[in-house]
Amino acid sequence: MNIINYGVIFIVINYLILLIISKVSNNVNYIKQFSSKIVRQYALLISVMILYVVLIWWYNYDPNNRESLINNLIIDPENNGILGSNIILGFDSISLYYCILIGIIIPISILSGWYMKSNQSNLYIILVLLIGILLWINFITLELLSYYILFESTLIPLFILVGMYGSVNKEKAAYYVLLYTLFGSLFMLLSICITSYLLKSTNYYVYNGLIMSIDLQIILWLGFFISIMVKSPLFPLHTWLPVVHSESPLAGSIMLASLVLKLTIYLILRWMLPILSEGTLIFTPLVYVICLLTIILISLITIVQIDLKVIIAYSSISHMGVCILGAFSNNVIGIDGSYLLSIAHGLVSPGLFIAVGGVLYDRYHTRILIYYNGLLSIMPLFSFYLLILSFANIGTPLTANWMGEFLSQLGAFKTSPIIAAICTFAVLLSATYQFKLTNRITGGTNYYIHNIGDVTKRESFMFLIIIIPTLIIGIYPQPIINNLSFIITSTVY
């Protein structure tokens, strides 16, 4: 048993201990009043443990040896894994940086609900941590049926989290996230059933070693892509995401934007490109048209929105369109850019949700843009953080978003110059809606709100944990690109 299995089992055992502590502390009278504090602190400790485990994996990872840390959790890894009878865990450069992203986001998600009412916080913290652990294991599984099960298992805690702790229309949002994503994933399940029946295996290495007929690839590709269109989401199956973001609690918005949407990029890079390569080449023009409509139309829709969280939600859809545009460019530059942009979006989008859905909404209890102005004079530190995140969100140089968008657009230009040239207008549109929001909030004279106080140390810590990696990757992205080169090159060629 290697360090992957040790790490996963260690975290799962600690999560079970957390459940026992939560149950016992609620039933013992003399510690009942401290129950929420104990659960919060232990959950935060577990989230830090996840980051520590991932950093150990990173330290021991050899990017030139793809199979150095592959192991099987249940039976021998040489087994074909008939119909998911085993769970093969392992990672390479594609999985590794998503795991690091999870290690950063889970503590932030827990800290975002740190001062929730004590009678509500235990289940909230447990659900947030459960979603994070399921996503973490999802990114390191190398068996397709297990991937689908973990892919869908996040819906249950997310449904409960949104349905119990959301805003006014929380029931509607909870059913949206359940029904839309469950419906879309059924097509992926059909593709998995077909491949399992024909190949008698769901093992990544069995799939990767076979060449399927073009007819079969077309059928399987369509099933996977419908699921991607819903989960990303892409136009016209995008309508559920703004509703869910606007009504979900802050931790739900953070994890949905940062981690759940990245499952589609991982699905493309891990399963679709290497296994359904001919089908991908056939449908690339269709994907580019859909991405073009997503990027341009959603950006135009974003400009006219007045709800702060809805603006950030729509901007996430537009950026995911650019990610998928790069992922289907079928060249190394575009795929590298798509991966970098997905990591950058996984950092910046939660930061913006913390700014508008955490700091502002917690203080002033409204998300309507027209009520905010003049915060630069009463909340200068918050305005500074918001300005940096806004520059990052529009892809300003020296931020990770710029590097990801530039490489994605460059890779798309090599594949389809006309569509890529039209998609570059998204840079202007994103600057329009983002600085409409930032200028309205920070500039002008304050008429509607009063001075409650600038950001706290906890909020500053969350902002800095997001901003510092964004700037580091933007200034020096070469280590990530170098580690990706071996995997991406073998995938493309």
Side-chain angles (χ1 to χ4, degrees), residues 296-312:
I296 301 300
L297 293 180
I298 298 303
S299 296
L300 292 173
I301 292 172
T302 310
I303 293 174
V304 300
Q305 299 300 315
I306 61 172
D307 188 309
L308 295 175
K309 289 187 75 173
V310 172
I311 292 173
I312 307 304

Side-chain angles (χ1 to χ4, degrees), residues 152-320:
E152 293 304 299
S153 62
T154 56
L155 288 180
I156 300 172
L158 191 61
F159 175 81
I160 299 172
L161 185 69
V162 176
M164 290 186 64
Y165 301 99
S167 300
V168 178
N169 295 320
K170 55 187 178 183
E171 292 86 1
K172 177 183 177 181
Y175 281 108
Y176 262 46
V177 70
L178 178 66
L179 295 179
Y180 266 84
T181 54
L182 187 62
F183 168 76
S185 298
L186 289 177
F187 293 93
M188 183 171 70
L189 179 61
L190 290 174
S191 296
I192 294 173
C193 291
I194 293 172
T195 53
S196 300
Y197 175 75
L198 294 176
L199 302 181
K200 300 299 185 293
S201 174
T202 53
N203 191 321
Y204 170 75
Y205 291 102
V206 174
Y207 285 16
N208 207 27
L210 297 175
I211 299 177
M212 303 180 190
S213 67
I214 295 180
D215 294 337
L216 178 60
Q217 287 194 36
I218 289 173
I219 295 172
L220 300 180
W221 191 95
L222 288 173
F224 279 111
F225 188 70
I226 292 173
S227 176
I228 288 171
M229 286 187 66
V230 176
K231 201 81 172 181
S232 293
L234 296 176
F235 180 86
L237 302 177
H238 67 280
T239 53
W240 66 273
L241 189 66
V243 176
V244 175
H245 271 309
S246 63
E247 303 300 331
S248 65
L250 180 57
S253 295
I254 291 172
M255 304 200 75
L256 186 62
S258 178
L259 303 179
V260 176
L261 299 186
K262 304 306 172 287
L263 288 172
T264 57
I265 304 298
Y266 181 75
L267 177 64
I268 293 170
L269 299 183
R270 172 67 71 214
W271 298 100
M272 292 187 67
L273 294 184
I275 298 170
L276 307 175
S277 54
E278 286 84 358
T280 299
L281 292 174
I282 291 171
F283 285 105
T284 295
L286 173 64
V287 176
Y288 269 47
V289 172
I290 294 174
C291 289
L292 172 64
L293 294 174
T294 302
I295 294 168
I296 301 300
L297 293 180
I298 298 303
S299 296
L300 292 173
I301 292 172
T302 310
I303 293 174
V304 300
Q305 299 300 315
I306 61 172
D307 188 309
L308 295 175
K309 289 187 75 173
V310 172
I311 292 173
I312 307 304
Y314 273 116
S315 71
S316 294
I317 299 173
S318 177
H319 286 102
M320 289 304 297

Side-chain angles (χ1 to χ4, degrees), residues 48-98:
V48 175
M49 289 177 187
I50 294 175
L51 179 59
Y52 180 70
V53 168
V54 174
L55 291 178
I56 291 176
W57 293 354
W58 190 17
Y59 178 77
N60 288 276
Y61 175 58
D62 179 9
N64 297 317
N65 183 5
R66 188 177 181 182
E67 300 183 10
S68 60
L69 291 178
I70 303 300
N71 201 349
N72 189 320
L73 190 61
I74 298 179
I75 59 177
D76 185 79
E78 297 300 326
N79 186 280
N80 286 338
I82 297 175
L83 298 181
S85 62
N86 62 350
I87 301 175
I88 301 175
L89 299 180
F91 64 84
D92 53 15
S93 299
I94 297 175
S95 307
L96 178 61
Y97 295 103
Y98 284 132

